[in-house]
Amino acid sequence: MYRTLLSIVFFLIVSSCFGQKKFTLSGTITDAATGEQLIGATIRIKELPQTGTITNSYGFYSVVAPEGDYTILFTYTGYQLVQQKVSLHQDQKVNLALLVNGALKEVVISADRPNNDNIVSPQMGVEKLNMAQVNQVPVLLGEKDILKTISLFPGVKSAGEGNTGFYVRGGGADQNLILLDEATVYNASHFFGFFSTFNSDAIKDVSLYKGGMPAEYGGRLSSVLDIKMNEGNNKDYTVQGGLGLISSRIKVEGPIVQNKGSFMVSARRTYIDFFLRASSDSTIRGSSIYFYDLNAKVNYHFDEKNAIYLSGYFGKDVLALKNTFGTDWGNSTGTIRFNHLFNSRLFSNTSLVFSNYNYVISSFLSNADFKATSQITDLNLKEDLSYSMGDNHTLKFGFNVLHHDIAPGDITASGTSSFNSLATEKRYGFENALYASDEWKASDKFTLLYGLRLSGLYLLGSGTFKTYDASGNTLSSTTYASGQLVKSFFTLEPRLSTSYALDDQTSFKLSYNRNTQNIHLLSNSTSNTPSDLYVMSSNNVKPEIADQVSTGWFKNWADNTWEFSTEIYYKWLQNQIDYKDGAQLLVNQDVESQLVYGSGRAYGIEFFLKKKYGRFNGWVGYTLSRTEEKFAAINNGNYFPATQDRTHDISVVGIYQLNKRWSFSSDFIYGTGNAVTFPTGKYNIGGLTTFSYSERNGYRMPSTNRLDIGATLEGKQHKKYHSSWTFGIYNVYAHRNPYIINFQDSKTVPNTTEAQEISIFATRIPSVTWNFKF
C-alpha cells in the first residue's frame, strides 16, 4: 500500500510536466505592519476565475497558469484587497505585504469583496476563527477563549456550563484532535475546564475541521482544531498585555534580525492564591489555587528558500488545600520546523514535535498519605510537502512517525498510609501514517479534493499483556520483551470533498471521510479532568473508526457581505468504548477488563447565517441532531442516547462598532440538556439508602440558556502606546443553568427522596480588563 501511494504521487508529478507551456507565480504574503505571515490568504487570477490558491501555514503560495498577462487579486479577511498586474512569460515571484482595512497603500486597491472562498472551496465543515472577533466575544470573567468561542458554531456543543470541553457532530470530548503548532494538547483546560490553555494574545490562526478533513490530519474521529501561534513582529519591538480581575497577561515580541527573524514570548497567570494569603483562616491561607501559561516562538529566515521555527508551550494548574490534598497537572510542547523551497512549485516542511501531559494527585493526611502520578509523552517526526502541478491541480503528500510513551498511573504511599504503593506497567507504541491528496479544479464550476491516508499502530513491549473475555475474565497472559511487537493495526482512510458552483454566489457540496483513532480516553466524567486515563489500541481494544458523509448548500449575497450555509451529516461509529457500571479506572493494571465495546451513530442538520462586514456583524447558528450508542452489555443491547446527545442547539453572536472608540458585543445560547442516568428506585442496607438505576441515559438534564454582553472602550491614540478597557457581564439575567443533580433522602419528609439541582453560576458575573500595548 505504501508503494501504491508513492506511485500515485510520482505519476501525478510526472504528468504535470507535459502539456501547454505554463509558468509559476509564487511568493509569500505577510502583514505589512508586523511581518507576520498570513495563513489562508487568497490569490486569484482575474482572467482565469477557476485558477487560484491560498497561502499555506507559512504564508507561501504557488499557482501555475498558461503564459500571458494577468491581473492578480490578493485578499485576506480584515485586510485591503490588492490588484496587481503580472506578465507571466517566465516564472515570477511576487511577495506582498497587505495592509489592514483603513491604511494607505501605493498599489491599486479595489473596494470589491471577491472573497467567496466558502463558495468555490471544496472543503466543507470547516470554521476559520478571526482573532479580532474572538477578542470581542464576551466570556467568563473576561478571559478571551478560543474553545468557548468555537462552541458558538453549529455542530459544536459545549461540554457544560463554563466548560472548555466540546463535542463535535456527536463525537466525545476525547475525539477532537487539538494541535498547537502541530503538537497534540491532551488536556486543553485550566481550573477543571472553566478556562482553556490557549492565551489569545499568542494565537494567530485557528481552523476547526468538523467534517471532510484533509488527508494530512488523522488520529481522531470527530474534529481537528489546528491552532497556530504568532511568529513575532520582525519590524519593531512591542509589549502588550492586560490586567483582569483574576489574571494578568503580557506579550513581548520583536525582531532578532529585522525582516529576517523574530521572537514572541507570551505569559499569563492567575492570582487567586495571592488573595488567599490575606485570609484569617490558616488553612485557607496555606492553600494554593492558580494556573499559568507560557508561549514562546522564534523564527529565522536564512534566505528566500530556507527558514527555521522553534516554538513551545508550558502550562500548569496547582490546586492544594493545606495539609489535606493537592493536585497539579500540565502540558508542555515543543516544535522544531524547517521550511525548504525546492523550487517555485515544491514546498517542504519538516517537523520534530514533542508533547507531554502529566498529573500528580497527593493526599497529606496521616493515615492516607500517598501520591498518584500519570503521564503521556509523544515524539513525532513529520514531513509535509505540497506541489503545484498545474493551473488546476495542487498535490499534498507526506508522512509522520509518532512514538507514544504512556505511564497509566503509579501510587507511592508512605509507611503510615492505609494505601499500598502500586506501579502499573508503561505502554509503548508507534502510530504512523502516509498520505496523499490532490485538489483538482476540473472546471470553473466543479472542484474535487480527494485523498488517501494509511494509518497504522504498532503496540510494543516490554510488559505483560492480557486478553479478556466479555465478562472481564483473563483468557491469556503473555510477557513481551522491550521493543517486541505485541499487536499491529492498519486502516485505509479515504477522503473526498466536492464542490459544484451554480454561480459565483451559490454552490453545492458533498463529502465523505473515514477517520481512525488509536489513542482512547477512559473517563467517568463528561469533560476532561486531570486524572483522565489514556490507553492505546491493543489485543482487547480495537481502533475506533468513524465514517461520515455530509452534503451542503452554500449561498452568499450583498457582495459577499452575508454568508448562509446548511449542512446535513450522518456518521457511523465502530469499536466505541464505554466502561462497566462501577468500573475502577484509576491505577488499574487490568483496566481493559473494565471496558465494553459497541457502535454508535450521529446525524443532524446545521444552519449558519453570518454577516462578515460592516459596523454590525456576527452570526446565528442552529443544530438539530441526534447521537446514539449501542453496547451488548448496556440497555439490553438497544440504542440509547449518548451523554453528548442534544436535540437542539442555538447560538447568536452580535458585534456592533458604534464609533472609533466604542464597540459592543453579545451572545445568547440555548441547548437541550445532556442525556443522563437518574435512579429509578432505592433500597435500604444497614440504615443507608442505596439507589438503583435502570436504562443508561434515559433522562435529560434541564435545558440551558444564557445571555452575555460585553463592551470595549479604545483609549486615545498616542505615538508610543495604546490602551483599551474591556467590560463584560456573564449570565446577564442570572439564569440557574444546571451543572449536576444529586439525589438524597429528604431531611423534612421521611421515606422520600429529593433531587438537588446545583448551579455553578447562578448570578451575574461582571468582568473588567485593562489592555495595553507599547
Side-chain angles (χ1 to χ4, degrees):
M1 187 55 63
Y2 281 88
R3 292 180 178 177
T4 302
L5 285 173
L6 290 173
S7 298
I8 294 173
V9 171
F10 178 76
F11 171 77
L12 289 171
I13 292 176
V14 172
S15 63
S16 70
C17 299
F18 301 93
Q20 183 182 0
K21 190 174 183 180
K22 299 175 181 179
F23 296 103
T24 303
L25 175 69
S26 63
T28 301
I29 307 299
T30 59
D31 182 299
T34 66
E36 286 274 356
Q37 296 154 348
L38 299 181
I39 302 172
T42 301
I43 297 87
R44 212 169 290 284
I45 300 178
K46 192 173 184 178
E47 293 79 5
L48 303 173
Q50 75 277 17
T51 302
T53 188
I54 62 173
T55 56
N56 65 10
S57 298
Y58 304 92
F60 175 77
Y61 73 92
S62 177
V63 61
V64 180
E67 183 178 10
D69 296 327
Y70 300 107
T71 302
I72 313 300
L73 305 178
F74 298 89
T75 61
Y76 188 71
T77 303
Y79 288 71
Q80 294 179 356
L81 180 149
V82 175
Q83 297 187 37
Q84 187 156 320
K85 297 288 186 179
V86 172
S87 295
L88 202 60
H89 301 288
Q90 60 182 1
D91 289 348
Q92 294 278 2
K93 180 178 290 292
V94 176
N95 297 326
L96 201 63
L98 299 184
L99 291 172
V100 296
N101 285 328
L104 298 176
K105 193 166 180 63
E106 295 178 356
V107 297
V108 178
I109 299 172
S110 170
D112 297 333
R113 298 191 187 109
N115 192 342
N116 61 343
D117 293 339
N118 64 311
I119 300 297
V120 300
S121 171
Q123 193 71 58
M124 62 184 302
V126 61
E127 304 290 352
K128 299 283 188 178
L129 273 187
N130 184 318
M131 293 308 298
Q133 286 185 322
V134 171
N135 291 331
Q136 288 185 303
V137 174
V139 291
L140 178 63
L141 292 173
E143 286 294 312
K144 306 307 178 184
D145 202 307
I146 292 171
L147 298 190
K148 287 189 176 67
T149 303
I150 66 170
S151 68
L152 298 172
F153 288 105
V156 186
K157 304 176 182 182
S158 169
E161 176 72 13
N163 205 304
T164 58
F166 61 99
Y167 309 123
V168 177
R169 291 187 173 179
D174 67 310
Q175 294 175 349
N176 305 308
L177 178 63
I178 302 176
L179 300 173
L180 180 63
D181 274 1
E182 302 187 37
T184 302
V185 178
Y186 281 95
N187 190 328
S189 65
H190 288 305
F191 277 171
F192 298 99
F194 294 111
F195 305 97
S196 83
T197 59
F198 304 114
N199 180 356
S200 61
D201 283 353
I203 304 305
K204 176 170 70 173
D205 182 82
V206 180
S207 298
L208 174 68
Y209 297 90
K210 300 181 294 184
M213 297 177 197
E216 59 261 37
Y217 295 108
R220 298 295 186 276
L221 297 190
S222 292
S223 75
V224 176
L225 182 63
D226 193 359
I227 303 171
K228 299 290 194 303
M229 288 197 289
N230 289 312
E231 269 87 42
N233 191 324
N234 67 15
K235 306 288 186 181
D236 200 3
Y237 296 97
T238 64
V239 179
Q240 71 179 74
L243 300 174
L245 294 177
I246 68 165
S247 71
S248 292
R249 65 189 197 280
I250 189 169
K251 179 174 77 170
V252 181
E253 60 182 343
I256 299 174
V257 176
Q258 201 165 49
N259 297 322
K260 295 196 69 174
S262 60
F263 73 92
M264 184 277 298
V265 178
S266 179
R268 177 178 59 163
R269 192 192 191 279
T270 59
Y271 29 71
I272 298 175
D273 53 320
F274 296 154
F275 299 128
L276 297 180
R277 296 173 187 174
S279 173
S280 58
D281 188 316
S282 62
T283 300
I284 296 178
R285 191 166 59 248
S287 300
S288 296
I289 177 171
Y290 67 88
F291 71 77
Y292 68 81
D293 295 307
L294 177 64
N295 297 77
K297 194 166 185 177
V298 176
N299 71 88
Y300 185 78
H301 294 255
F302 300 99
D303 50 40
E304 289 189 346
K305 293 188 175 183
N306 298 281
I308 190 169
Y309 300 79
L310 288 83
S311 59
Y313 166 80
F314 310 92
K316 190 174 184 179
D317 282 70
V318 175
L319 176 62
L321 184 62
K322 184 180 181 181
N323 299 325
T324 305
F325 78 92
T327 178
D328 62 78
W329 68 94
N331 297 277
S332 58
T333 71
T335 307
I336 302 174
R337 288 176 288 182
F338 181 73
N339 289 177
H340 179 64
L341 188 61
F342 289 96
N343 53 51
S344 59
R345 295 191 184 192
L346 182 59
F347 179 90
S348 165
N349 176 65
T350 306
S351 303
L352 183 62
V353 186
F354 168 84
S355 176
N356 174 269
Y357 169 68
N358 67 86
Y359 71 79
V360 178
I361 299 175
S362 303
S363 173
F364 307 118
L365 300 175
S366 58
N367 63 338
D369 183 13
F370 72 88
K371 179 184 290 186
T373 61
S374 180
Q375 71 172 354
I376 177 170
T377 303
D378 290 347
L379 188 62
N380 189 10
L381 175 64
K382 295 174 74 264
E383 178 65 39
D384 300 292
L385 301 105
S386 60
Y387 183 74
S388 296
M389 296 187 294
D391 54 347
N392 54 7
H393 283 281
T394 301
L395 177 68
K396 293 183 178 181
F397 55 101
F399 69 88
N400 76 278
V401 179
L402 172 60
H403 181 264
H404 296 295
D405 182 338
I406 301 177
D410 295 332
I411 290 181
T412 304
S414 68
T416 60
S417 176
S418 58
F419 290 86
N420 296 320
S421 295
L422 177 65
T424 57
E425 293 181 338
K426 284 188 174 184
R427 291 293 183 248
Y428 308 93
F430 279 98
E431 190 172 8
N432 306 329
L434 180 69
Y435 75 88
S437 68
D438 176 37
E439 183 172 341
W440 175 33
K441 298 175 183 177
S443 69
D444 58 351
K445 291 183 177 295
F446 182 70
T447 305
L448 179 66
L449 176 62
Y450 58 98
L452 187 63
R453 182 181 181 91
L454 174 64
S455 64
L457 176 79
Y458 300 88
L459 180 63
L460 306 175
S462 60
T464 299
F465 294 80
K466 299 179 181 179
T467 302
Y468 307 96
D469 62 17
S471 300
N473 301 312
T474 301
L475 295 177
S476 64
S477 178
T478 307
T479 301
Y480 292 84
S482 176
Q484 188 175 358
L485 180 64
V486 179
K487 188 74 175 179
S488 63
F489 298 94
F490 294 95
T491 309
L492 277 175
E493 303 174 23
R495 312 286 174 87
L496 176 67
S497 298
T498 65
S499 150
Y500 184 80
L502 304 176
D503 53 48
D504 289 343
Q505 303 290 298
T506 312
S507 68
F508 176 80
K509 300 183 184 183
L510 178 69
S511 78
Y512 163 76
N513 62 281
R514 165 172 283 200
N515 287 278
T516 303
Q517 183 164 331
N518 282 299
I519 293 291
H520 317 281
L521 177 70
L522 306 183
S523 174
N524 290 349
S525 67
T526 58
S527 62
N528 286 14
T529 63
S531 58
D532 287 340
L533 175 65
Y534 294 90
V535 298
M536 278 184 284
S537 298
S538 67
N539 43 350
N540 298 292
V541 183
K542 295 180 180 179
E544 297 177 74
I545 299 174
D547 293 276
Q548 180 180 185
V549 294
S550 57
T551 185
W553 182 70
F554 297 77
K555 175 68 177 177
N556 288 5
W557 68 91
D559 197 17
N560 294 310
T561 297
W562 290 86
E563 295 180 358
F564 175 79
S565 65
T566 179
E567 297 186 37
I568 302 173
Y569 68 89
Y570 195 102
K571 186 188 295 184
W572 295 266
L573 300 164
Q574 303 177 48
N575 304 328
Q576 297 301 282
I577 303 171
D578 208 332
Y579 55 88
K580 299 176 181 178
D581 294 332
Q584 171 59 40
L585 303 182
L586 186 62
V587 195
N588 183 353
Q589 187 68 57
D590 297 319
V591 66
E592 293 180 8
S593 69
Q594 306 292 299
L595 306 178
V596 293
Y597 310 97
S599 59
R601 60 190 182 192
Y603 48 92
I605 183 170
E606 302 166 1
F607 298 92
F608 188 49
L609 175 65
K610 181 178 182 180
K611 186 174 185 291
K612 297 174 60 178
Y613 305 104
R615 295 175 66 179
F616 175 77
N617 58 77
W619 66 86
V620 178
Y622 170 67
T623 305
L624 174 66
S625 62
R626 187 75 171 167
T627 305
E628 298 172 310
E629 296 177 319
K630 184 178 182 180
F631 296 86
I634 301 175
N635 283 11
N636 298 316
N638 298 316
Y639 275 107
F640 62 91
T643 300
Q644 62 270 24
D645 176 63
R646 296 181 194 168
T647 308
H648 304 283
D649 195 77
I650 301 171
S651 60
V652 182
V653 177
I655 301 171
Y656 179 68
Q657 188 75 41
L658 178 64
N659 52 45
K660 290 184 178 180
R661 298 190 63 188
W662 278 103
S663 63
F664 298 90
S665 60
S666 178
D667 65 64
F668 171 79
I669 64 166
Y670 171 85
T672 304
N674 284 350
V676 66
T677 304
F678 286 150
T680 55
K682 64 179 182 179
Y683 49 94
N684 189 286
I685 300 178
L688 298 176
T689 299
T690 302
F691 293 102
S692 60
Y693 300 83
S694 58
E695 61 178 321
R696 180 79 65 91
N697 292 345
Y699 297 86
R700 290 276 175 185
M701 295 286 283
S703 62
T704 62
N705 61 88
R706 191 187 71 247
L707 174 68
D708 309 321
I709 59 175
T712 299
L713 172 61
E714 299 289 343
K716 294 181 179 180
Q717 291 289 340
H718 297 274
K719 289 184 178 181
K720 294 186 177 180
Y721 72 91
H722 177 72
S723 66
S724 65
W725 289 88
T726 302
F727 310 93
I729 300 178
Y730 183 88
N731 197 13
V732 172
Y733 50 82
H735 183 67
R736 298 180 62 91
N737 287 309
Y739 187 74
I740 193 172
I741 296 180
N742 289 327
F743 291 84
Q744 58 190 20
D745 292 332
S746 173
K747 296 181 180 179
T748 57
V749 183
N751 300 320
T752 62
T753 300
E754 61 183 12
Q756 181 186 33
E757 182 178 299
I758 298 175
S759 300
I760 296 181
F761 306 112
T763 186
R764 302 173 187 86
I765 302 177
S767 64
V768 58
T769 302
W770 177 61
N771 307 289
F772 59 86
K773 183 174 183 179
F774 297 93

